[in-house]
Amino acid sequence: MKSEEIAAALRSKLAAPLPGADAHRIAWPEHLPTRGSFTEESSYRSAAVLLLLVPRADGVWIPLVERPASMADHPGQIACPGGRVEPGETGAEAALRELEEELGVPRNRVRLLGELTTVWIPVSGFRVQPFVGWADKEPEWIPDPREVGRLLFARAEELARHGPAGRYRRRLSGVDFDVPAYEVADGMVWGATALLLAEFGEVWKTLETET
């Protein structure tokens, strides 16, 4: 499919019922409780992220940012651009603002195609709305060093095809365990970002079966 056809097809897929928790299980750490055990927590803070799709000659690519080690929340992790929803903001507005602040991409250069299933992060107490956006052409990337340690790119087709092909070693409450992870460049993507990538991958696969 051509780029515009892919964007239109994804918009339609994201408006339909999503795979949600079934897709999240692909990247869900086995030792953690299921989503249903904490989704009613009223103390969770609202956050939003943007999974931006950038068409190139060799496919559709997703920018990811590695958080500086100095950050208070999720230091050193690889994630989609995003952050807290400020008072008076919608989740979509917050996702676009964070993309602009972190990577210098003007919000008017991005078309929102839809939203993935909300992801809950019990460790940091965030309720994250993942939005999917489309850039008609490659933007100029201007990473903010205060929020971005480095910028990486993942190919959408490869993520969907291979899924979380690696394992990331974590320690929680003195116990070591492995969590499913996507391999991007020389980094590992796990946790909440892996959950939303897993769901996006399942949506993307439905496009490939129709072409």
Side-chain angles (χ1 to χ4, degrees), residues 28 33 62 65 108 138-140 168 190-191 194 197:
W28 190 263
I62 301 168
V65 298
N108 61 7
E138 183 101 15
E140 178 184 3
Y168 184 80
W190 53 278
L197 289 180

Side-chain angles (χ1 to χ4, degrees), residues 89-146:
E89 266 188 330
T90 66
E93 290 169 343
L96 290 169
R97 173 182 54 77
E98 290 285 350
L99 174 71
E100 188 167 355
E101 291 176 356
E102 293 181 18
L103 295 179
V105 179
R107 61 198 77 185
N108 61 7
R109 294 281 303 276
V110 177
R111 285 187 287 159
L112 289 181
L113 301 182
E115 186 176 355
L116 294 168
T117 303
T118 297
V119 174
W120 300 73
I121 311 177
V123 174
S124 56
F126 278 107
R127 179 181 64 253
V128 182
Q129 293 176 269
F131 293 88
V132 179
W134 184 271
D136 289 315
K137 63 179 181 179
E138 183 101 15
E140 178 184 3
W141 306 105
I142 310 175
D144 183 342
R146 295 170 300 178

Side-chain angles (χ1 to χ4, degrees), residues 21 23-38 119-122 164 167 178-180 191-192 194-195 198:
H24 287 173
R25 290 191 186 96
I26 297 171
W28 190 263
E30 295 178 359
H31 73 287
L32 290 181
T34 60
R35 184 171 63 93
S37 62
F38 51 80
V119 174
W120 300 73
I121 311 177
R167 308 290 291 182
D178 290 332
V179 298
L195 299 186

